[in-house]
């Protein structure tokens, strides 16, 4: 295992080195939180694909393939569909707003006052997303070093917190680009063909497995619909995803680069399901479907290749973890703490003191990172935590965000009603139906929509001046550059 260990150690050291390099570039709020809004299509595509394809998409995607066959691709496939929808229909407008958070967008659209409550909901989502990603380190380091769960979480989490705190979005962007390359080589170019060959090829896989393993809809229509509702729509509104859209150099980069990343996700989804199906042929009686990835890597791959594929799994987890962490810290600082202090600036304004802004956001990443590690150590049920996070996100924020983008009659009162009714109802419904039930997000979303429409129609329309300013920002006008920021030159 010495060669495999060397590959992993070099990879982890490289992540820290990029964090140090990123620190030298992050001299302003814009540079620290959104990489100066200067990413070109190549880097934007790679980093966007990296953040949405985390441990759940890699280890979990293979596990679903082991359990359901090719239809196990649907979870990751719906993530790709969501990213495609975001990129084609909304990303250009989002990028032109020149804001830092989803809550700032809501304040711009509705005229203020909705940011705090929406920020709390978004913070809860990003916190749980970061926690569940951090827990995944335990699985990977257990395979690598037979390491204690708590030590594994502290080790993996500390590395992510370190490079994220040092350089902010620049460090995360650079590391995500490396992680994208490692995942592509490790999973698509190495693990996928090796797994199929070891299983005897597709003809042997079909001969040894039930026919439902090759049914595209074998996982069930209700499950697919739930995946679409949670993951496809979740991609449209998550702060972790929007913060990457904000890094695009132009609306064209956001649209084209995101479309490439979404297409890559579709390919990755099918690859994970095929790997899991091959694992079912080789190991028909594993104690857990989620053990399929680690088992096939540990037992079937040659020395060196095994280390690279495990590094790919680590890369998948780290990219999602770091993206969720900076999103969580950004929301906590800009949408919650600043508002509670009464020191919030007008939405989208970039006239903050650069040094103080970077220092403050860096401190919040460190604080949130420590909190994430502590919660990850204490928490055991990853699936329930992630379900709660996505249910709150979709039921609470989907309607006011998409309503603000698509329906000019929506009002701030309607938005607040939608967030409150959707969020509270989904919590109550999870209490009644169970956390893992599908009904809470179905009914919570319908109640949120009803509240938004009824209250919006019953209240005074949004002020014409607010809507005019909103249209100006959507057109790419009205946002001022941050003092001290470098010109928006291309970064490929």
């Amino acid at each position: 295992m010495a060669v495999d260990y060397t590959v992993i150690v070099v990879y982890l050291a490289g992540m820290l080195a990029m964090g140090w390099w990123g620190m030298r570039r992050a001299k302003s709020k814009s540079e620290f939180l959104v990489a100066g809004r200067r990413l070109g299509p190549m880097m934007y595509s790679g980093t966007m694909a990296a953040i949405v394809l985390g441990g759940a998409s890699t280890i979990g995607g293979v596990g679903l393939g082991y359990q359901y066959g090719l239809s196990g691709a649907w979870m990751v496939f719906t993530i790709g569909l969501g990213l495609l929808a975001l990129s084609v229909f909304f990303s250009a407008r989002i990028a032109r707003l020149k804001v830092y958070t989803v809550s700032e967008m809501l304040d711009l659209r509705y005229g203020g006052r909705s940011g705090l409550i929406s920020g709390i909901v978004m913070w809860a989502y990003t916190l749980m997303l970061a926690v569940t990603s951090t827990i995944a380190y335990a699985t990977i380091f257990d395979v690598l070093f037979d390491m204690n769960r708590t030590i594994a979480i502290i080790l993996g989490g500390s590395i992510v917190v370190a490079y994220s705190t040092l350089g902010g979005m620049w460090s995360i962007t650079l590391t995500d680009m490396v992680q994208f390359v490692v995942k592509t080589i490790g999973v698509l170019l190495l693990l996928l063909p090796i797994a199929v060959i070891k299983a005897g090829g597709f003809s042997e896989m079909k001969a040894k497995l039930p026919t439902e393993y090759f049914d595209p809809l074998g996982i069930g229509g209700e499950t697919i619909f739930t995946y679409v509702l949670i993951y496809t729509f979740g991609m449209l509104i998550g702060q972790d995803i929007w913060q990457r859209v904000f890094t695009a150099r132009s609306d064209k980069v956001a649209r084209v680069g995101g479309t490439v990343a979404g297409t890559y996700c579709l390919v990755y989804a099918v690859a994970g399901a095929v790997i899991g199906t091959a694992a079912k042929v080789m190991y028909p009686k594993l104690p857990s479907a989620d053990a399929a990835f680690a088992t096939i890597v540990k037992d079937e791959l040659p020395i060196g290749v095994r280390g690279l594929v495990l590094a790919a799994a680590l890369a998948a987890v780290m990219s999602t973890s770091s993206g969720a962490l900076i999103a969580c810290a950004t929301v906590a600082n800009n949408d919650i703490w600043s508002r509670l202090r009464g020191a919030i600036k007008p939405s989208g304004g970039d006239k903050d003191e650069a040094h103080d802004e970077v220092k403050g956001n860096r401190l919040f990443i460190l604080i949130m990172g420590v909190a994430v590690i502590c919660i990850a150590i204490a928490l055991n049920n990853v699936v329930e935590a992630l379900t709660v996070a996505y249910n709150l996100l979709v039921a609470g924020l989907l309607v006011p965000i998409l309503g603000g983008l698509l329906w000019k009659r929506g009002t701030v009162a309607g938005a607040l009603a939608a967030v409150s009714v959707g969020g509270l109802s989904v919590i109550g419904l999870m209490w009644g139906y169970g956390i893992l039930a599908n009904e809470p997000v179905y009914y919570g979303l319908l109640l949120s929509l009803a509240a938004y429409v009824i209250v919006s129609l019953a209240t005074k329309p949004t002020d014409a001046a607010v809507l005019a300013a909103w249209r100006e920002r959507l057109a790419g006008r009205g946002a001022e550059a941050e003092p001290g920021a470098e010109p928006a030159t291309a970064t490929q």
Side-chain angles (χ1 to χ4, degrees):
M1 293 286 289
V3 175
D4 296 325
Y5 292 162
T6 301
V7 172
I8 299 296
V9 170
V10 169
Y11 168 76
L12 294 176
M15 296 300 99
L16 291 174
M18 290 195 179
W20 182 262
W21 187 88
M23 182 177 67
R24 303 178 64 182
R25 296 203 64 165
K27 301 298 184 183
S28 68
K29 177 181 178 180
S30 176
E31 294 284 348
F32 190 82
L33 293 182
V34 290
R37 309 186 195 276
R38 293 192 287 131
L39 297 192
M42 185 182 300
M43 187 168 284
Y44 180 87
S45 298
T47 57
M48 182 62 88
I51 188 177
V52 300
L53 296 175
S57 299
T58 303
I59 299 171
V62 171
L64 286 172
Y66 183 88
Q67 189 172 358
Y68 297 105
L70 297 185
S71 66
W74 272 107
M75 184 188 77
V76 184
F77 203 84
T78 55
I79 291 174
L81 292 177
L83 186 52
L84 284 171
L86 174 71
S87 302
V88 172
F89 298 112
F90 300 108
S91 64
R93 281 181 282 179
I94 293 170
R96 287 196 292 264
L97 290 174
K98 300 292 189 246
V99 295
Y100 292 104
T101 68
V102 174
S103 295
E104 287 184 27
M105 167 264 168
L106 291 173
D107 276 354
L108 278 171
R109 166 59 182 83
Y110 295 111
R113 299 185 302 171
S114 62
L116 180 59
I117 186 171
S118 62
I120 292 172
V121 174
M122 188 64 77
W123 174 78
Y125 158 72
T126 53
L127 179 69
M128 283 297 99
L129 185 62
V131 166
T132 53
S133 300
T134 303
I135 290 173
Y137 296 126
T139 301
I140 298 171
F141 282 113
D142 178 57
V143 175
L144 285 171
F145 308 115
D146 193 23
M147 187 178 290
N148 174 270
R149 178 182 183 274
T150 299
I151 296 175
I153 290 172
I154 292 173
L155 175 60
S158 296
I159 292 171
V160 169
V161 171
Y163 72 70
S164 300
T165 301
L166 286 172
M169 187 58 82
W170 267 123
S171 295
I172 293 171
T173 296
L174 293 170
T175 54
D176 277 1
M177 197 63 200
V178 174
Q179 289 158 357
F180 169 74
V181 173
V182 171
K183 279 192 286 191
T184 301
I185 295 173
V187 175
L188 296 185
L189 302 183
L190 293 176
L191 183 58
L192 175 61
I194 290 174
V196 172
I197 291 171
K198 292 280 187 177
F202 284 104
S203 58
E204 187 71 13
M205 290 162 62
K206 287 185 177 180
K208 290 187 176 181
L209 294 175
T211 55
E212 56 262 29
Y213 264 73
F214 302 92
D215 180 359
L217 304 178
I219 199 170
E222 184 179 353
T223 299
I224 295 171
F225 178 73
T226 303
Y227 284 158
V228 170
L229 198 61
I230 293 178
Y231 296 114
T232 300
F233 286 120
M235 287 295 107
L236 299 180
I237 58 176
Q239 169 68 24
D240 53 324
I241 309 302
W242 276 43
Q243 199 156 343
R244 295 310 174 96
V245 176
F246 300 152
T247 66
R249 186 181 72 223
S250 66
D251 53 359
K252 182 179 180 182
V253 168
R255 184 173 58 252
V256 176
T259 301
V260 172
T263 304
Y264 178 90
C265 291
L266 303 183
V267 175
Y268 200 89
V270 175
V274 171
I275 293 168
T277 305
K280 184 67 175 179
V281 173
M282 291 182 278
Y283 309 98
K285 296 182 179 180
L286 289 177
S288 167
D290 285 340
F293 180 88
T295 302
I296 196 170
V297 169
K298 195 172 184 179
D299 293 350
E300 302 297 336
L301 299 185
I303 294 173
V305 172
R306 179 171 49 201
L308 183 59
V309 173
L310 287 172
L314 197 58
V317 175
M318 282 187 162
S319 56
T320 300
S321 181
S322 59
L325 177 59
I326 194 171
C328 178
T330 302
V331 170
N333 188 17
N334 290 266
D335 294 337
I336 300 176
W337 176 243
S338 294
R339 294 169 194 268
L340 292 176
R341 288 171 52 213
I344 192 67
K345 303 273 194 319
S347 292
D350 286 329
K351 293 184 176 180
D352 312 282
E353 290 293 330
H355 176 73
D356 290 343
E357 286 291 342
V358 172
K359 183 179 178 181
N361 283 291
R362 184 173 281 139
L363 177 62
F364 264 85
I365 290 180
L366 180 59
I367 293 171
M368 291 297 105
V370 172
V372 163
I373 292 172
C374 292
I375 296 171
I377 292 171
L379 194 65
N380 286 319
N381 200 317
V382 179
V383 175
E384 288 191 358
L386 197 59
T387 300
V388 170
Y390 269 103
N391 283 355
L392 276 173
L393 177 71
V394 173
L397 292 179
L398 178 67
V399 170
I401 292 172
L402 293 189
L405 290 169
L406 300 173
W407 190 42
K408 67 178 182 179
R409 185 60 181 83
T411 67
V412 65
L416 288 170
V419 175
S420 302
V421 171
L424 292 175
S425 62
V426 81
I427 292 173
L429 289 164
M430 283 190 290
W431 182 273
Y433 282 98
I435 290 176
L436 299 180
N438 293 327
E439 289 84 356
V441 71
Y442 296 165
Y443 298 142
L445 188 56
L446 288 174
L447 289 170
S448 177
L449 177 60
Y452 181 72
V453 173
I454 292 170
V455 175
S456 290
L457 292 175
T459 53
K460 184 180 177 181
T462 304
D463 186 84
V466 172
L467 288 177
W470 167 253
R471 287 192 291 269
E472 284 288 300
R473 292 294 285 270
L474 281 179
R477 300 184 295 269
E480 298 180 32
E482 179 179 6
E486 298 177 31
T489 54
T491 300
Q492 295 297 322

